[in-house]
Amino acid sequence: MRTCPRQVKERELSDKELCTEEEISNLVRAFYARVRQDELLGPIFDAHIEDWDQHQHKLVDFWSTILRRTGRFTGAPMPKHARLPGLNAELFRRWLALFRETTAAQPNRTMGEQAQAAAERIAQSLWMGYQIGRDPDAAPAALACG
């Protein structure tokens, strides 16, 4: 089992120069196209997302906030994910694998690396929060990348 990659070193470029809004939109749309086709994740997402266009727009705002520091995203992802039944480490690892495939295919390699590093941190945080929400007295297990 391999360990999660370390955070990408800070760039000399400003956040706005890292990538464009179009590149972020392309990343989000390519990723969720993979998710929707995935036999494990597709049915879970389809069961919980009523309007894919609205969801993707919100996620473009989220990634714009992460990668470009635009501050467009407002919300709290943790409570929404914590309410989902039946999540497990394998599903989080699958999400990361699809994200990794998508970022690796991006023409803007630096943006892809930054997005992947952020996704690793986000998945770890959501997985820890999910476990704590389910069993607050148990020590949460780290999400090993696979």
Side-chain angles (χ1 to χ4, degrees), residues 28-49:
V28 168
R29 293 192 188 291
F31 173 64
Y32 281 98
R34 288 177 195 257
V35 166
R36 292 181 81 180
Q37 293 174 2
D38 188 76
E39 63 185 36
L40 282 177
L41 296 179
I44 295 168
F45 277 80
D46 281 337
H48 297 283
I49 296 173

Side-chain angles (χ1 to χ4, degrees), residues 7 25 28 33 48 52 55 57 60 66 70 76 88 107 113 131 136:
Q7 181 176 350
S25 181
V28 168
H48 297 283
W52 274 98
H55 185 69
H57 180 75
V60 168
I66 298 291
T70 61
N88 58 50
E113 291 168 0
Q131 292 174 87

Side-chain angles (χ1 to χ4, degrees), residues 6 9 18 33 64 93 99 112 116 129:
R6 291 187 164 271
K9 290 183 180 182
L18 173 65
S64 179
R93 284 191 291 271
F99 200 83
Q116 186 60 43

Side-chain angles (χ1 to χ4, degrees), residues 23 26 102-112:
E23 288 173 316
N26 290 341
T102 307
T103 58
Q106 297 305 299
N108 181 337
R109 298 296 310 135
T110 305
M111 178 199 71

